[in-house]
Amino acid sequence: MTKDIVVGDELPDWVGAKEFYQKYDPKEVIGRGVSSVVRRCVHRHTGQELAVKIIEITAEKMTAQQLEEVKSSTLKEIHLLNMVKGHPSIITLIDSYESTTFIFLVFDLMRRGELFDYLTEKVTLSEKETRSIMRALLEAVQYLHSLNIVHRDLKPENILLDDHGHIKLSDFGFSVQLEPGKNLRELCGTPGYLAPEILKCSMDEMHPGYGKEVDLWACGVILFTLLAGSPPFWHRKQMLMLRLIMEGRYQFSSPEWDDRSDTVKDLISRLLVVDSAARLTAEQALAHPFFRQYQKEDVRLFSPRKTFRVLIVSVLACIRMYSRYRRVRPLTREVLARDPYSIRGVRKLIDGCAFRIYGHWVKKGEQQNRAALFQNTAKIMLLGLEDFET
Ligand code: ADP
Ligand code: MG
């Protein structure tokens, strides 16, 4: 057992979870969910570091019905995780075990934790970084939707970052595969990210239900939040917040949004559409001009290749600067008198003076008259005199 275990985090006993313990060595807690604890763990043979989500299913703490519910929803989660395994922006389920009191889900370890914590640390993200994250997220959503899977709990807490800052979508606890022609009705998800139709459906029995579009609404909320550092729909009183969501009332208020492009605002406004039929699909969102810019931009926040390139360019620049420094000719009165414009420093000085007179660069070769430098008074001084006269 590790030192940092807090009350309620006791590891399952050996007898109940023998199979898991034989293969993995559980370490410190790295995350918590509603009914789960996530720990770093090490594969005993290979030494590979992984993450294990431990879900408790003990009869002492739950009613028989709750127990059945947790069990069946976890088995459903495992089934869906196996279906989506292999997508570059979706977490990989490596192993799973079920004992009488616990279920263990072993995943690849996302060392840099939640996008939520990354955003808290950075406050807001640049449009460039947001574009990389949202492109990967929407590609994951597009893939899920192609399999008729609705995630239903998209939020920065469920988007994890690996060593390179590449995102992976996780937590398929609320995910469901749609049956053809059928809609969903359950009220589930996280309040701030709930689409209006989920709320309306729970209040109106006649409502036709909701579908995949709820994930695109949540993507709109995430996109807004990454750029503004705060969510689009928020009120101290949750009822009022839900009303804002149902009416689709949000603002691009100053000063957070002043410097943001119209393109990204346009994308947000096409995702946060109350009418789910008019909302962009994942495919349409990926085709939006916001993503057409910088097509080849690296989706990772940290790229070893890019870093290496920067390093090489920096070294070459240093070599160039050093050899230039070695080649510098001594500045003598003779050289200065013969051709002052050939000396870089003097040339800069002359051009600088010319700029002060004409307000623009005097380019070499373009009817340049250096004598003009001495025939005029500097523009700024003239302006100063005018001011003085009036
Ligand atoms: P829940 O369904 O109970 O919300 P999650 O699957 O979201 O559980 O996991 C809870 C938290 O544990 C996550 O928000 C994250 O901080 C952490 N976590 C989950 N999976 C991993 C992983 N593979 N690598 C690192 N941290 C993880
Ligand atoms: Mg979660």
Side-chain angles (χ1 to χ4, degrees), residues 33-200:
V34 183
S35 54
S36 67
V37 172
V38 178
R39 288 172 180 274
R40 182 172 69 88
C41 71
V42 179
H43 191 286
R44 290 188 193 272
H45 290 304
T46 63
Q48 190 188 3
E49 287 184 292
L50 299 152
V52 59
K53 180 167 165 175
I54 307 171
I55 301 147
E56 202 171 345
I57 42 167
T58 42
E60 299 150 31
K61 297 182 185 172
M62 295 176 193
T63 63
Q65 197 195 344
Q66 280 174 328
L67 198 94
E68 262 327 293
E69 268 172 24
V70 174
K71 223 170 156 176
S72 76
S73 79
T74 309
L75 293 180
K76 219 170 73 189
E77 186 177 345
I78 294 172
H79 173 69
L80 291 176
L81 280 162
N82 279 322
M83 271 182 80
V84 300
K85 205 148 73 176
H87 190 280
S89 300
I90 296 178
I91 198 89
T92 309
L93 178 70
I94 291 167
D95 236 339
S96 64
Y97 297 93
E98 191 187 338
S99 78
T100 45
T101 43
F102 291 94
I103 300 178
F104 301 86
L105 307 186
V106 182
F107 295 101
D108 40 351
L109 177 64
M110 301 296 282
R111 272 178 224 277
R112 284 168 66 175
E114 300 173 10
L115 176 62
F116 181 86
D117 294 323
Y118 180 68
L119 181 65
T120 308
E121 180 193 313
K122 290 266 197 137
V123 185
T124 59
L125 302 188
S126 67
E127 277 189 37
K128 188 179 169 196
E129 206 172 359
T130 303
R131 182 180 296 114
S132 303
I133 293 170
M134 289 306 299
R135 184 183 283 136
L137 175 62
L138 283 162
E139 279 168 359
V141 173
Q142 184 186 24
Y143 178 63
L144 294 181
H145 289 186
S146 74
L147 299 171
N148 271 329
I149 297 171
V150 193
H151 186 280
R152 295 203 291 186
D153 203 14
L154 296 179
K155 55 180 178 179
E157 292 90 323
N158 288 336
I159 297 166
L160 308 177
L161 300 164
D162 69 11
D163 290 1
H164 307 294
H166 188 292
I167 69 135
K168 281 188 202 260
L169 179 57
S170 78
D171 196 353
F172 284 70
F174 284 146
S175 302
V176 62
Q177 190 172 30
L178 285 174
E179 286 172 38
K182 275 201 175 170
N183 272 348
L184 301 163
R185 300 201 61 88
E186 278 170 287
L187 174 64
C188 73
T190 306
Y193 300 84
L194 290 176
E197 62 268 29
I198 303 182
L199 297 167
K200 285 176 189 165

Side-chain angles (χ1 to χ4, degrees), residues 132-357:
S132 303
I133 293 170
M134 289 306 299
R135 184 183 283 136
L137 175 62
L138 283 162
E139 279 168 359
V141 173
Q142 184 186 24
Y143 178 63
L144 294 181
H145 289 186
S146 74
L147 299 171
N148 271 329
I149 297 171
V150 193
H151 186 280
R152 295 203 291 186
D153 203 14
L154 296 179
K155 55 180 178 179
E157 292 90 323
N158 288 336
I159 297 166
L160 308 177
L161 300 164
D162 69 11
D163 290 1
H164 307 294
H166 188 292
I167 69 135
K168 281 188 202 260
L169 179 57
S170 78
D171 196 353
F172 284 70
F174 284 146
S175 302
V176 62
Q177 190 172 30
L178 285 174
E179 286 172 38
K182 275 201 175 170
N183 272 348
L184 301 163
R185 300 201 61 88
E186 278 170 287
L187 174 64
C188 73
T190 306
Y193 300 84
L194 290 176
E197 62 268 29
I198 303 182
L199 297 167
K200 285 176 189 165
C201 177
S202 70
M203 292 172 192
D204 174 10
E205 280 186 7
M206 303 303 286
H207 193 281
Y210 64 87
K212 298 173 196 172
E213 303 84 7
V214 299
D215 283 345
L216 275 305
W217 175 276
C219 284
V221 177
I222 296 169
L223 174 55
F224 184 109
T225 309
L226 295 182
L227 293 168
S230 54
F233 307 102
W234 194 85
H235 199 284
R236 193 161 49 81
K237 293 181 181 158
Q238 204 176 76
M239 264 319 287
L240 294 180
M241 182 186 83
L242 299 181
R243 217 156 106 186
L244 292 177
I245 294 174
M246 284 196 286
E247 290 166 9
R249 264 204 284 143
Y250 68 96
Q251 279 178 336
F252 293 122
S253 46
S254 285
E256 309 91 283
W257 288 96
D258 291 351
D259 299 331
R260 300 302 189 184
S261 70
D262 288 338
T263 319
V264 78
K265 288 180 194 168
D266 182 75
L267 175 58
I268 293 169
S269 66
R270 288 170 196 272
L271 289 169
L272 297 180
V273 177
V274 175
D275 175 9
S276 61
R279 200 175 297 152
L280 291 186
T281 62
E283 207 158 19
Q284 288 167 338
L286 283 164
H288 188 273
F290 179 62
F291 294 110
R292 268 193 259 128
Q293 295 167 305
Y294 312 109
Q295 280 285 352
K296 292 203 176 111
E297 201 171 85
D298 206 327
V299 289
R300 292 173 302 178
L301 307 182
F302 168 77
S303 149
R305 224 172 123 180
K306 225 190 258 174
T307 311
F308 182 70
R309 205 163 51 209
V310 170
L311 200 79
I312 291 294
V313 170
S314 310
V315 169
L316 289 176
C318 286
I319 293 171
R320 217 176 301 136
M321 269 159 60
Y322 179 69
S323 61
R324 221 175 253 178
Y325 165 78
R326 293 283 304 268
R327 262 191 271 125
V328 158
R329 282 173 295 154
L331 178 62
T332 59
R333 189 186 286 264
E334 212 179 66
V335 175
L336 192 63
R338 199 178 346 115
D339 188 7
Y341 206 77
S342 70
I343 302 157
R344 198 159 173 263
V346 180
R347 187 164 65 237
K348 278 190 103 177
L349 185 74
I350 295 170
D351 284 348
C353 290
F355 185 75
R356 275 167 64 97
I357 293 165

